[in-house]
Amino acid sequence: DEGIAGADAVMMLRIQHERAGGGPVDLAAYHREFGLTAARLARAAPGAIVMHPGPMNRGVEIDSDVADGPQSVIRRQVANGVAVRMAVLEALAAARGAP
């Protein structure tokens, strides 16, 4: 909650169950403690953008109303990420002399 105060951008990441180490994660507790809700987002700067590279666990790391809300740039971020990865792969293939 302190870290989001006044932020111009809020970047969320997917909870990685495979790295939890200590067994199953209590998803409800995780959401209560760390999930991005409208109330938490209200602590950020007015007009702050919300980012998430996907895939999202809605209701865990981010609420649907925030993910789909007016401050979200998630769809654009994901689309741009696909284009960037395609360009990198094309550049790597060209560097190796592939057609």
Side-chain angles (χ1 to χ4, degrees), residues 5-96:
D8 292 319
V10 180
M11 170 70 128
M12 302 304 295
L13 296 174
R14 175 181 65 86
I15 187 169
Q16 297 180 344
H17 298 280
E18 63 275 14
R19 296 186 182 180
V25 176
D26 180 341
L27 299 180
Y30 185 92
H31 181 70
R32 264 192 319 276
E33 294 295 320
F34 306 110
L36 186 59
T37 62
R40 279 206 170 98
L41 183 56
R43 296 173 179 263
I49 62 170
V50 175
M51 303 175 74
H52 193 302
M56 289 183 280
N57 292 303
R58 291 171 183 261
V60 179
E61 70 256 5
I62 189 167
D63 278 352
S64 287
D65 62 333
V66 174
D68 299 327
Q71 291 172 264
S72 174
V73 296
I74 295 170
R75 290 186 191 276
R76 188 170 15 148
Q77 177 186 358
V78 170
N80 289 342
V82 170
V84 168
R85 287 189 295 281
M86 289 172 61
V88 168
L89 289 172
E90 183 178 350
L92 290 172
R96 294 195 57 175

